[in-house]
Amino acid sequence: MLLVREGNPDAFEVVFDRHANVAFSLAYRMCGSSARAEDVVQEAFLSLWRTGVRYDRARGSVRSWVLSAVHNRAIDALRREAPSGSREVFDERLIERLRSPYETAAEAERRDDARRVQSALEELPTDQRRVIELAYFGGFSHGQIAEMLDLPAGTVKGRMRLGLSKLRFLLGETAGAIG
């Protein structure tokens, strides 16, 4: 990483070769399409090349650094491509006749639940949040997460258990405060 920090392209190529497959796998699972996943991985590695000086060994492995960048780029791509949900209607009288694709109360409740979960996730320590996001939003197994983050499987399972326990507490506490 010292050579990457100094701008050595051969050193960065080694980082790319070692982590490109797992980066693509994460991007593909998050985005659902090969083309989108390739774009996400390319954007992430370009960003890492430009900001290689930001890598800090104390904060985690190179693999974690790469996967965090891919995860963030995939979320950005999904947000950019999310449908706006609006429909173009030329006769305003027809607007009232259009049926919403969602039941209003159910959709409001779903969005409220999603906000509560996101808020609770943000309160977790980064290492616990990362394994939960990879498992539940990325669809990865404990073994795959351990490999991606370069951690023992027991550590991944422990972080998952602690994080889920904290989430239950936070969401139970929030639900009690609301209801």
Side-chain angles (χ1 to χ4, degrees), residues 1 15 19 22 48 54-69 130 145-152 159:
M1 285 309 295
V15 171
H19 304 287
V22 73
L48 294 176
R54 292 189 192 159
Y55 171 71
D56 180 7
R57 172 182 250 154
R59 296 185 68 203
S61 68
V62 174
R63 184 172 286 220
S64 297
W65 179 61
V66 168
L67 291 177
S68 291
R130 182 174 290 144
I145 295 169
E147 183 182 325
M148 280 188 265
L149 300 179
D150 198 24
L151 293 169
R159 288 179 181 177

Side-chain angles (χ1 to χ4, degrees), residues 69-129:
V70 170
H71 179 262
N72 292 336
R73 295 291 173 165
I75 289 173
D76 291 344
L78 291 170
R79 286 180 180 153
R80 275 193 311 268
E81 295 173 10
S84 64
S86 64
R87 299 182 197 172
E88 193 171 323
V89 178
F90 297 102
D91 184 350
E92 292 198 22
R93 291 175 294 178
L94 293 178
I95 292 175
E96 292 178 17
R97 292 184 176 199
L98 289 176
R99 189 154 198 249
S100 170
Y102 306 104
E103 293 296 322
T104 307
E107 179 63 11
E109 187 175 339
R110 188 196 64 76
R111 287 183 183 185
D112 186 48
D113 288 345
R115 276 192 291 274
R116 286 187 16 224
V117 169
Q118 184 61 40
S119 177
L121 277 170
E122 289 171 4
E123 292 189 39
L124 295 179
T126 303
D127 57 347
Q128 293 172 12
R129 182 176 61 245

Side-chain angles (χ1 to χ4, degrees), residues 142-162:
H142 290 118
Q144 291 169 320
I145 295 169
E147 183 182 325
M148 280 188 265
L149 300 179
D150 198 24
L151 293 169
T155 301
V156 170
K157 290 177 183 179
R159 288 179 181 177
M160 181 80 66
R161 192 170 31 257
L162 284 171

Side-chain angles (χ1 to χ4, degrees), residues 3-18:
L3 294 174
V4 169
R5 200 173 294 135
E6 292 173 358
N8 183 321
D10 293 330
F12 191 77
E13 185 176 348
V14 170
V15 171
F16 179 82
D17 289 343
R18 287 185 183 167

